[in-house]
Amino acid sequence: MLESVSAQHRLSKGIQHLKLLNKELETAIETALLSAQESGELPRFEIPRIPVSAPKRADQGDLSYPAIGLAKLARKKPLDIASLIADWLPPLDFAGEVQVAPPGFINCFIADDYLKRQIDAIIAEGDSLFQLDIGCGEKAQVEFVSANPSGPITIGHTRGAVVGDAMARLLEAAGYDVQREYYYNNAGVQMIKLGKSLMLRYRQQLGDAAELPAGYYQGEYLIDVAVDLVANHGDSLRGEGWEFFRDAAESRMFDWIKRSLASIDIKHDRFYNETELFDSRQIWRVLDKMRENGHIYEGAYWEGADEDEIADVTAKSYEPATWFRSTTFGDEKDRVMVKSDGAPTYTLPDIAYHCDKLERGFDIAVNVLGADHFSQAQVVKHGIEALGMDPAPIHVIFNQMVRAVRRNDETGKLEAGKQSKRAGDFDTLDDLVEMTSADAVRYHMLARSPNSQLDFDVDQVVKQSNENPVYYIQNAYVRCAGIFREADERGFSDAGADLNLLGDDELRFIRKALELGNVIEQAALNYEPHKIAFFAHELAAVFHPIYDTVRVLHSEAPPEIAKARLRFYRAAAVVFYRLLRLMGMSAPERM
RNA sequence: GCUCCAGUAGCUCAGGGGAUAGAGCAUUGGUUUCCUAAACCAAGUGUCGCAGGUUCGAAUCCUGCCUGGAGCGCCA
């Protein structure tokens, strides 16, 4: 489905149009190949999609296409095919020189004139730079964080929060109408334990001798809540049951969670909880539907259980439970939907929730989960299939584990944080933000493939220096802002700037900046939000050397050249602003 | 035992059929009369875990193995 959508991608209407040059060239090459086939110079074969990419070396052009890949199909020498393509290539307004390079590459240079024109185009697009229309306004949802309200946002949740929010921003940039959702379980035994834990903490505050049993929530934060309850209500809550305390705890925890997330500029549009699915009896309707479709059965153990499992279950003398025959869909064993005590497992509401999600009509439903949810997510997917629904819109990003680390000065190795004497605890989002900054947390959590385990190096992130990529990127924007401030003070403007006076350095930056559209598309449609973080750093690395030599308000820069350069920096500032916002980071005017 | 993720420079990680494998940190040396040096310039560093295979071409794909992490509940 994505392919068909992406094929009809368009850019938003603006006065100026920024193009996805890779796509343009790919299309043009396809046209050239068809023409060559038409003319008989090339045999007929189905043209495979070979992506145009940016070569590593400058002398290999800005966009490169390996025609080598067609050699076998065309039964011709790669270099000859490349030549044919070059011959038949329709005119492209952005293309300068087109070279054929051995062993069979088409290397296309972007024309300087085109690059210069893009500067005003970038400024015109402003905050919506490279706002794509791939999504055509279709509905997308990102479900992320989804931590149960039983404690603070941990470092692991934080990764999901940052990745999810960046994903949402990228989908918006790709043209989707995006909803951010937070789903949580508040109907199970864990919340009962939370309520009882708070109740005991409350009684402790009143001087009762109460111990928290093992498995209850031992965290000190519940003591804080209990202290508050005593301060506000004295001992008047002594008669309240655990339900009261559960609700009080849930409410307090959610206030905390929302405040923590807000501190890194993350806000959900909707909070959806399990209780809704119970109250609406939706979970039972889902179970009935699965039963109707023949995927549900009752039994003390699952149909494929071996002797050991049966012996184990028999020993526990369970009453029969309700099973989902998920093995039909490739699962390794069937799963319990309703326990023998009549309570549903958490899987059933989870399936019901995703069913509801699909019924709400999202064309894309991204789910950001920790890798420890892998099996669970598979079962949910099987459940959706058992309902006769298509799980295709659902895409899960699994984040591998994350831990806070510090460098051990003796070994030089990174070690998990808690053992550090200097550190104290820093395994919550609040701690991380306090020790570093919201921007640093966001950047470092994002600048890693979700598939990689992440060691959050607290010491490195704390450093506010050029050692830290966060400030390296932001400083690019700050430097632009500094130029604008100084220009304003001197009453200098870029009105009537002649961009022909710009040099190769400036154009090198524009070249790189024009890749942003492709980066957004790739990051959004392939669910790889980390790409935007790497691109931001690369762009800053192109920017800073230019800043050093391309001076605007310098005694040796003639006013006409200064004007053109000022206009250039206006464009650069737009690009960095857009990038920083896509990552959910701030774009400070000064640092 | 099975499933998923990872293994690339001293460290943390990008790249994931294409041209001479990259970045940051760390190391060494240099740069500032003028828009913030949180910057720039220069230097060195590799058995891309191991072994086979596919291919014109493999860090990238396939198979097997090794190492580390996460799962495999009538927990949520």
Side-chain angles (χ1 to χ4, degrees), chain A residues 3 44 82 86 228 269 312 389 531:
Chain A
E3 296 218 358
R44 290 190 186 274
D228 276 7
D269 300 309
D312 191 43
M389 303 176 84
K531 302 238 166 175

Side-chain angles (χ1 to χ4, degrees), chain A residues 54 69 89 99 147 155 164 176 202 206 225 227 232 235 247 296 422 530 532-533 541:
Chain A
L89 200 65
Q99 293 178 347
I155 190 168
Y176 286 90
Y202 174 72
L206 295 178
V225 178
V227 168
N232 291 324
D235 66 354
D247 293 348
I296 297 292
R422 289 178 289 169
H530 67 286
I532 198 80

Side-chain angles (χ1 to χ4, degrees), chain A residues 217-503:
Chain A
Y217 288 88
Q218 309 287 341
E220 291 190 9
Y221 50 88
L222 283 184
I223 299 177
D224 297 339
V225 178
V227 168
D228 276 7
L229 287 177
V230 172
N232 291 324
H233 302 95
D235 66 354
S236 66
L237 305 175
R238 200 188 279 279
E240 298 286 353
W242 59 264
E243 294 91 343
F244 173 87
F245 289 97
R246 177 196 60 193
D247 293 348
E250 180 179 329
S251 153
R252 279 289 296 255
M253 292 303 115
F254 252 121
D255 287 346
W256 189 5
I257 288 169
K258 287 179 185 173
R259 202 163 52 241
S260 297
L261 292 174
S263 77
I264 55 170
D265 198 15
I266 288 175
K267 195 168 169 293
H268 289 81
D269 300 309
R270 180 167 181 191
F271 287 80
Y272 194 117
N273 67 54
E274 217 181 12
T275 308
E276 294 181 38
L277 294 164
F278 279 84
D279 291 349
S280 66
R281 304 198 52 76
Q282 180 67 13
I283 61 164
W284 304 115
R285 280 198 290 273
V286 161
L287 187 66
D288 288 346
K289 181 72 180 171
M290 289 167 78
R291 193 190 308 274
E292 214 173 282
N293 291 348
H295 303 299
I296 297 292
Y297 62 91
E298 317 288 328
Y301 39 78
W302 74 287
E303 290 172 344
D306 61 24
E307 287 177 17
D308 290 346
E309 286 172 272
I310 292 172
D312 191 43
V313 169
T314 310
K316 290 178 185 163
S317 61
Y318 279 138
E319 295 295 313
T322 304
W323 294 81
F324 165 35
R325 198 178 288 109
S326 55
T327 45
T328 305
F329 304 95
D331 205 350
E332 57 189 24
K333 61 172 293 190
D334 294 340
R335 309 287 168 171
V336 171
M337 292 291 108
V338 183
K339 294 182 274 187
S340 50
D341 67 2
T345 59
Y346 125 117
T347 309
L348 180 56
D350 215 356
I351 293 171
Y353 168 61
H354 283 86
C355 167
D356 175 76
K357 220 188 239 189
L358 291 172
E359 283 175 346
R360 279 187 270 159
F362 293 109
D363 300 286
I364 292 180
V366 182
N367 204 346
V368 182
L369 296 175
D372 53 344
H373 286 73
F374 182 80
S375 302
Q376 177 63 22
Q378 296 305 310
V379 178
V380 169
K381 189 178 151 231
H382 298 146
I384 292 297
E385 287 171 316
L387 289 166
M389 303 176 84
D390 181 8
I394 299 174
H395 185 275
V396 185
I397 297 177
F398 291 104
N399 280 316
Q400 296 298 316
M401 228 179 81
V402 47
R403 56 182 192 152
V405 295
R406 282 176 179 272
R407 191 168 301 281
N408 180 319
D409 294 333
E410 286 169 23
T411 64
K413 293 272 185 188
L414 291 172
E415 295 176 351
K418 281 210 156 184
Q419 61 210 39
S420 165
K421 292 176 213 76
R422 289 178 289 169
D425 291 354
F426 44 80
D427 54 359
T428 68
L429 170 55
D430 292 351
D431 295 335
L432 289 176
V433 170
E434 189 183 326
M435 297 180 67
T436 63
S437 70
D439 288 331
V441 168
R442 287 204 65 138
Y443 181 80
H444 286 279
M445 286 288 177
L446 188 61
R448 194 121 328 179
S449 160
N451 287 338
S452 290
Q453 291 176 43
L454 193 162
D455 285 335
F456 192 91
D457 184 339
V458 178
D459 291 323
Q460 187 186 334
V461 174
V462 164
K463 287 185 194 172
Q464 302 206 348
S465 69
N466 60 338
E467 297 158 33
N468 193 326
V470 179
Y471 304 102
Y472 187 75
I473 296 164
Q474 285 180 319
N475 192 32
Y477 183 80
V478 168
R479 285 178 138 183
C480 293
I483 296 172
F484 306 152
R485 259 198 316 276
E486 183 68 20
D488 283 349
E489 273 174 32
R490 300 190 193 181
F492 187 78
S493 103
D494 65 356
D498 177 5
L499 296 178
N500 286 315
L501 300 173
L502 293 176

Side-chain angles (χ1 to χ4, degrees), chain A residues 16-19 21 58 61-63 92-97 108-123 129-130 498-516 539 542 546 564 567-569 571-572 575:
Chain A
Q16 314 281 348
H17 294 268
L18 289 175
K19 295 174 177 171
L21 301 185
D62 299 309
L63 300 163
L92 292 162
D93 65 343
F94 62 83
E97 195 181 350
C108 172
F109 291 77
I110 299 175
D112 285 359
D113 278 353
Y114 179 82
L115 291 171
K116 287 169 188 163
R117 288 202 301 277
Q118 302 318 300
I119 290 175
D120 285 331
I122 288 168
I123 295 169
L129 178 67
F130 277 117
D498 177 5
L499 296 178
N500 286 315
L501 300 173
L502 293 176
D504 290 344
D505 286 336
E506 297 92 305
L507 297 187
R508 190 173 348 113
F509 178 86
I510 300 298
R511 252 188 201 98
K512 183 73 183 172
L514 291 181
E515 289 176 26
L516 176 59
L539 191 68
V542 175
I546 295 171
R567 178 74 60 84
F568 161 75
Y569 282 110
V575 181

